[in-house]
Amino acid sequence: CRALLDCVFHQPQAMDYEPLQPLAAASGLNIDEVNYVVCLLLSYPLAALFRLLPTSAPTLRHIYSIVVGLAFGIFCFRIFVLHTVVSSLIVFVMLKVFGNTPAIHKVIFVFVMGYMVACHLYRQIFSYGEYILDVTGPQMLLTQKLTFLAFSVYDGKRKSKGDAKLNEMQQEYASTQTPGLLEFFGHVFFFPGYLAGPVHFFADYRTFIEGTDKNGKAPSSFGVCIKKILGAFLCIGITKVPAALGFPLTLATLEDPHFHRTSNLAYTLVYLWLSSILVRMKYYFAWILADGANNAAGFGFNGYDKSGNAKWDKITNVIVSKVEFATSLKSVLDNWNIQTQKWLRYVMYDRTQSVYLTMFLSAIWHGLYPGYFLTFISAALHTEASRKVRNTIRPICLKAIGQRAYDFVTFVVTCVCLNYLTLPFVLLSFWRSIEVWSSIFFVGHFIIIPMLFLPGKSKSAAAGAAKSDKKEAPVTADAAAAAAAVEEKKQTPSSPAFSTRSRKQE
């Protein structure tokens, strides 16, 4: 059984021939990391060439995208790129053959999630806690792409029947036709985003390829690409500073009993904050670099601001300043792993109105380590608690202490809770996480739990009441749906989804 599983899922860390091995040895990085970064950097000149292809020749653009994306997959994963090909082909057949089946989007969701979970499970059983950059990462992104597409096709059928229950996002991205094979795989292997995202809707990819985007022709992206390359390397450079100064910061230090014997709670929380920033910087590096590669191809243009400056934030995955200086968890979630948040909202939250189901999906998508579930279950509680605080305590505090003082207090509380909540995500193990949490007296939960008892209904309860009201008064259904959408934009954060990170990498 192990041999069979190895043939299907396992990718050796060291291939028979690695042309970039000397570079890996010189940089001190693993060969899989070097391969990833080199491919991301190669995406820039290849994207510039891609942009020369006319939008009047979409077939040529699809072929170019497939060839380069597949080449990146073969270079990084060798034969295991077939996971992408096979699972995508199965979904394509499902859409073509069973596209008119009412529940086909759910079947596709279960299939691609199950396929991805199988990859996660293999790694957890045979490589527990080890850091491996294998095809599982692109498979996670592919899961989002394929479910985005399946639900878009489903919403397209609802839209064609005049379904008034579709919200604004569902109406915008509803697809009235299933893509052809070439267009489908062009979307799957779109090379600037194949390895590290950001994930995008199929509708956005189609209008980009055909040059029919509502924002018009994209201007030059040279300046924004340079800024994003420099920004990405600044982030990774920051992670090297503490060690260079002789004061390395790692979350593993928090597990050292000697550290806790010699450190008070305030120092421990500051240490946790600084070391967590370094962890996030590694994600910023990959996301910003990948975002810039998409921009180099002309993808991501989002019109112009009031000053006439081009906006390149249509598929941006993170806004660093708004994460690091957030004054609420909502602000963090609105600006962290943005496209994954959009996916969670589109395929789960908008259809169930359940924060807890959405958090559970986020945990499963990342993997099966207990630490993921500790993070996301606790985050669900925090989401409910922060909503009640905003509705009840915030107006009182603003009158009592003013906006600036309130912002400072909420900034500190947000820092503590964010770093506290994401700690198990890095440690992975249930008991290791509980042990570290106990060493800081479960401070995050002591902040969150009392807030849950504040007056006011939770979002889930409010959604249930809204559904009941709709049944009793069908005449106001459209108005209720519109009001719910507006309220959701104002108050509801999308559930958190943090990129996967293993113990060895940390």
PDB file of all heavy atoms in Angstrom, residues 396-415:
ATOM      1  N   ILE A 396     -20.100  53.376  22.682  1.00  0.00           N
ATOM      2  CA  ILE A 396     -19.887  53.896  24.033  1.00  0.00           C
ATOM      3  C   ILE A 396     -18.451  54.369  24.199  1.00  0.00           C
ATOM      4  O   ILE A 396     -18.176  55.448  24.738  1.00  0.00           O
ATOM      5  CB  ILE A 396     -20.228  52.816  25.082  1.00  0.00           C
ATOM      6  CG1 ILE A 396     -21.703  52.413  24.958  1.00  0.00           C
ATOM      7  CG2 ILE A 396     -19.918  53.316  26.494  1.00  0.00           C
ATOM      8  CD1 ILE A 396     -22.089  51.238  25.826  1.00  0.00           C
ATOM      9  N   CYS A 397     -17.494  53.558  23.725  1.00  0.00           N
ATOM     10  CA  CYS A 397     -16.074  53.886  23.872  1.00  0.00           C
ATOM     11  C   CYS A 397     -15.696  55.125  23.066  1.00  0.00           C
ATOM     12  O   CYS A 397     -14.882  55.935  23.509  1.00  0.00           O
ATOM     13  CB  CYS A 397     -15.216  52.705  23.444  1.00  0.00           C
ATOM     14  SG  CYS A 397     -15.295  51.301  24.577  1.00  0.00           S
ATOM     15  N   LEU A 398     -16.267  55.266  21.890  1.00  0.00           N
ATOM     16  CA  LEU A 398     -15.946  56.437  21.071  1.00  0.00           C
ATOM     17  C   LEU A 398     -16.351  57.733  21.771  1.00  0.00           C
ATOM     18  O   LEU A 398     -15.646  58.740  21.706  1.00  0.00           O
ATOM     19  CB  LEU A 398     -16.641  56.334  19.712  1.00  0.00           C
ATOM     20  CG  LEU A 398     -16.067  55.310  18.734  1.00  0.00           C
ATOM     21  CD1 LEU A 398     -16.898  55.259  17.458  1.00  0.00           C
ATOM     22  CD2 LEU A 398     -14.612  55.624  18.394  1.00  0.00           C
ATOM     23  N   LYS A 399     -17.474  57.692  22.460  1.00  0.00           N
ATOM     24  CA  LYS A 399     -17.905  58.872  23.196  1.00  0.00           C
ATOM     25  C   LYS A 399     -17.039  59.121  24.425  1.00  0.00           C
ATOM     26  O   LYS A 399     -16.767  60.256  24.805  1.00  0.00           O
ATOM     27  CB  LYS A 399     -19.366  58.718  23.620  1.00  0.00           C
ATOM     28  CG  LYS A 399     -20.349  58.768  22.459  1.00  0.00           C
ATOM     29  CD  LYS A 399     -21.787  58.607  22.957  1.00  0.00           C
ATOM     30  CE  LYS A 399     -22.771  58.656  21.793  1.00  0.00           C
ATOM     31  NZ  LYS A 399     -24.182  58.493  22.264  1.00  0.00           N
ATOM     32  N   ALA A 400     -16.565  58.010  25.048  1.00  0.00           N
ATOM     33  CA  ALA A 400     -15.850  58.135  26.315  1.00  0.00           C
ATOM     34  C   ALA A 400     -14.380  58.510  26.137  1.00  0.00           C
ATOM     35  O   ALA A 400     -13.853  59.351  26.872  1.00  0.00           O
ATOM     36  CB  ALA A 400     -15.967  56.832  27.103  1.00  0.00           C
ATOM     37  N   ILE A 401     -13.709  57.915  25.163  1.00  0.00           N
ATOM     38  CA  ILE A 401     -12.253  58.118  25.047  1.00  0.00           C
ATOM     39  C   ILE A 401     -11.825  58.707  23.713  1.00  0.00           C
ATOM     40  O   ILE A 401     -10.656  59.052  23.535  1.00  0.00           O
ATOM     41  CB  ILE A 401     -11.500  56.788  25.289  1.00  0.00           C
ATOM     42  CG1 ILE A 401     -11.877  55.754  24.215  1.00  0.00           C
ATOM     43  CG2 ILE A 401     -11.777  56.246  26.674  1.00  0.00           C
ATOM     44  CD1 ILE A 401     -11.097  54.453  24.334  1.00  0.00           C
ATOM     45  N   GLY A 402     -12.712  58.800  22.750  1.00  0.00           N
ATOM     46  CA  GLY A 402     -12.362  59.380  21.465  1.00  0.00           C
ATOM     47  C   GLY A 402     -11.839  58.360  20.474  1.00  0.00           C
ATOM     48  O   GLY A 402     -11.449  57.238  20.838  1.00  0.00           O
ATOM     49  N   GLN A 403     -11.797  58.765  19.201  1.00  0.00           N
ATOM     50  CA  GLN A 403     -11.425  57.858  18.114  1.00  0.00           C
ATOM     51  C   GLN A 403      -9.985  57.370  18.217  1.00  0.00           C
ATOM     52  O   GLN A 403      -9.705  56.174  18.067  1.00  0.00           O
ATOM     53  CB  GLN A 403     -11.639  58.557  16.773  1.00  0.00           C
ATOM     54  CG  GLN A 403     -11.340  57.686  15.554  1.00  0.00           C
ATOM     55  CD  GLN A 403     -12.405  56.629  15.333  1.00  0.00           C
ATOM     56  OE1 GLN A 403     -13.588  56.940  15.287  1.00  0.00           O
ATOM     57  NE2 GLN A 403     -11.997  55.371  15.197  1.00  0.00           N
ATOM     58  N   ARG A 404      -9.031  58.274  18.473  1.00  0.00           N
ATOM     59  CA  ARG A 404      -7.619  57.884  18.471  1.00  0.00           C
ATOM     60  C   ARG A 404      -7.304  56.895  19.588  1.00  0.00           C
ATOM     61  O   ARG A 404      -6.608  55.901  19.367  1.00  0.00           O
ATOM     62  CB  ARG A 404      -6.729  59.119  18.597  1.00  0.00           C
ATOM     63  CG  ARG A 404      -6.728  60.003  17.346  1.00  0.00           C
ATOM     64  CD  ARG A 404      -5.695  61.112  17.456  1.00  0.00           C
ATOM     65  NE  ARG A 404      -5.660  61.924  16.251  1.00  0.00           N
ATOM     66  CZ  ARG A 404      -4.834  62.950  16.064  1.00  0.00           C
ATOM     67  NH1 ARG A 404      -3.970  63.281  17.018  1.00  0.00           N
ATOM     68  NH2 ARG A 404      -4.866  63.640  14.940  1.00  0.00           N
ATOM     69  N   ALA A 405      -7.802  57.180  20.780  1.00  0.00           N
ATOM     70  CA  ALA A 405      -7.557  56.269  21.900  1.00  0.00           C
ATOM     71  C   ALA A 405      -8.216  54.915  21.646  1.00  0.00           C
ATOM     72  O   ALA A 405      -7.627  53.858  21.927  1.00  0.00           O
ATOM     73  CB  ALA A 405      -8.078  56.879  23.196  1.00  0.00           C
ATOM     74  N   TYR A 406      -9.416  54.948  21.104  1.00  0.00           N
ATOM     75  CA  TYR A 406     -10.118  53.695  20.795  1.00  0.00           C
ATOM     76  C   TYR A 406      -9.343  52.896  19.742  1.00  0.00           C
ATOM     77  O   TYR A 406      -9.198  51.676  19.859  1.00  0.00           O
ATOM     78  CB  TYR A 406     -11.522  54.002  20.286  1.00  0.00           C
ATOM     79  CG  TYR A 406     -12.311  52.766  19.892  1.00  0.00           C
ATOM     80  CD1 TYR A 406     -12.929  51.973  20.842  1.00  0.00           C
ATOM     81  CD2 TYR A 406     -12.416  52.396  18.549  1.00  0.00           C
ATOM     82  CE1 TYR A 406     -13.648  50.835  20.475  1.00  0.00           C
ATOM     83  CE2 TYR A 406     -13.120  51.272  18.169  1.00  0.00           C
ATOM     84  CZ  TYR A 406     -13.737  50.492  19.146  1.00  0.00           C
ATOM     85  OH  TYR A 406     -14.425  49.370  18.772  1.00  0.00           O
ATOM     86  N   ASP A 407      -8.838  53.573  18.705  1.00  0.00           N
ATOM     87  CA  ASP A 407      -8.072  52.892  17.666  1.00  0.00           C
ATOM     88  C   ASP A 407      -6.803  52.257  18.235  1.00  0.00           C
ATOM     89  O   ASP A 407      -6.422  51.148  17.832  1.00  0.00           O
ATOM     90  CB  ASP A 407      -7.698  53.872  16.553  1.00  0.00           C
ATOM     91  CG  ASP A 407      -8.884  54.220  15.675  1.00  0.00           C
ATOM     92  OD1 ASP A 407      -9.907  53.516  15.749  1.00  0.00           O
ATOM     93  OD2 ASP A 407      -8.795  55.207  14.912  1.00  0.00           O
ATOM     94  N   PHE A 408      -6.135  52.943  19.159  1.00  0.00           N
ATOM     95  CA  PHE A 408      -4.919  52.390  19.764  1.00  0.00           C
ATOM     96  C   PHE A 408      -5.244  51.136  20.569  1.00  0.00           C
ATOM     97  O   PHE A 408      -4.545  50.118  20.457  1.00  0.00           O
ATOM     98  CB  PHE A 408      -4.244  53.422  20.668  1.00  0.00           C
ATOM     99  CG  PHE A 408      -3.041  52.883  21.379  1.00  0.00           C
ATOM    100  CD1 PHE A 408      -1.838  52.693  20.713  1.00  0.00           C
ATOM    101  CD2 PHE A 408      -3.118  52.532  22.726  1.00  0.00           C
ATOM    102  CE1 PHE A 408      -0.728  52.171  21.367  1.00  0.00           C
ATOM    103  CE2 PHE A 408      -2.015  52.004  23.388  1.00  0.00           C
ATOM    104  CZ  PHE A 408      -0.817  51.838  22.712  1.00  0.00           C
ATOM    105  N   VAL A 409      -6.299  51.205  21.368  1.00  0.00           N
ATOM    106  CA  VAL A 409      -6.687  50.042  22.184  1.00  0.00           C
ATOM    107  C   VAL A 409      -7.055  48.867  21.292  1.00  0.00           C
ATOM    108  O   VAL A 409      -6.616  47.729  21.521  1.00  0.00           O
ATOM    109  CB  VAL A 409      -7.857  50.404  23.115  1.00  0.00           C
ATOM    110  CG1 VAL A 409      -8.400  49.149  23.813  1.00  0.00           C
ATOM    111  CG2 VAL A 409      -7.417  51.425  24.156  1.00  0.00           C
ATOM    112  N   THR A 410      -7.847  49.119  20.248  1.00  0.00           N
ATOM    113  CA  THR A 410      -8.263  48.026  19.369  1.00  0.00           C
ATOM    114  C   THR A 410      -7.093  47.484  18.546  1.00  0.00           C
ATOM    115  O   THR A 410      -7.066  46.294  18.202  1.00  0.00           O
ATOM    116  CB  THR A 410      -9.392  48.486  18.426  1.00  0.00           C
ATOM    117  OG1 THR A 410      -8.984  49.692  17.747  1.00  0.00           O
ATOM    118  CG2 THR A 410     -10.655  48.758  19.210  1.00  0.00           C
ATOM    119  N   PHE A 411      -6.108  48.344  18.237  1.00  0.00           N
ATOM    120  CA  PHE A 411      -4.910  47.878  17.551  1.00  0.00           C
ATOM    121  C   PHE A 411      -4.157  46.880  18.426  1.00  0.00           C
ATOM    122  O   PHE A 411      -3.749  45.797  17.961  1.00  0.00           O
ATOM    123  CB  PHE A 411      -4.004  49.050  17.194  1.00  0.00           C
ATOM    124  CG  PHE A 411      -2.602  48.659  16.812  1.00  0.00           C
ATOM    125  CD1 PHE A 411      -2.346  48.029  15.602  1.00  0.00           C
ATOM    126  CD2 PHE A 411      -1.541  48.892  17.671  1.00  0.00           C
ATOM    127  CE1 PHE A 411      -1.053  47.652  15.247  1.00  0.00           C
ATOM    128  CE2 PHE A 411      -0.246  48.521  17.326  1.00  0.00           C
ATOM    129  CZ  PHE A 411      -0.003  47.899  16.122  1.00  0.00           C
ATOM    130  N   VAL A 412      -3.979  47.206  19.692  1.00  0.00           N
ATOM    131  CA  VAL A 412      -3.273  46.314  20.610  1.00  0.00           C
ATOM    132  C   VAL A 412      -4.027  45.001  20.781  1.00  0.00           C
ATOM    133  O   VAL A 412      -3.443  43.911  20.709  1.00  0.00           O
ATOM    134  CB  VAL A 412      -3.063  46.999  21.979  1.00  0.00           C
ATOM    135  CG1 VAL A 412      -2.482  46.005  22.986  1.00  0.00           C
ATOM    136  CG2 VAL A 412      -2.146  48.206  21.842  1.00  0.00           C
ATOM    137  N   VAL A 413      -5.334  45.092  20.981  1.00  0.00           N
ATOM    138  CA  VAL A 413      -6.143  43.886  21.167  1.00  0.00           C
ATOM    139  C   VAL A 413      -6.117  43.020  19.911  1.00  0.00           C
ATOM    140  O   VAL A 413      -6.000  41.782  19.980  1.00  0.00           O
ATOM    141  CB  VAL A 413      -7.597  44.257  21.532  1.00  0.00           C
ATOM    142  CG1 VAL A 413      -8.488  43.008  21.540  1.00  0.00           C
ATOM    143  CG2 VAL A 413      -7.639  44.941  22.886  1.00  0.00           C
ATOM    144  N   THR A 414      -6.199  43.656  18.739  1.00  0.00           N
ATOM    145  CA  THR A 414      -6.149  42.910  17.478  1.00  0.00           C
ATOM    146  C   THR A 414      -4.820  42.202  17.306  1.00  0.00           C
ATOM    147  O   THR A 414      -4.771  41.032  16.882  1.00  0.00           O
ATOM    148  CB  THR A 414      -6.397  43.852  16.285  1.00  0.00           C
ATOM    149  OG1 THR A 414      -7.681  44.456  16.415  1.00  0.00           O
ATOM    150  CG2 THR A 414      -6.340  43.089  14.972  1.00  0.00           C
ATOM    151  N   CYS A 415      -3.711  42.871  17.634  1.00  0.00           N
ATOM    152  CA  CYS A 415      -2.387  42.245  17.547  1.00  0.00           C
ATOM    153  C   CYS A 415      -2.303  41.017  18.436  1.00  0.00           C
ATOM    154  O   CYS A 415      -1.839  39.941  18.025  1.00  0.00           O
ATOM    155  CB  CYS A 415      -1.304  43.241  17.956  1.00  0.00           C
ATOM    156  SG  CYS A 415      -0.880  44.430  16.678  1.00  0.00           S
TER     157      CYS A 415
END
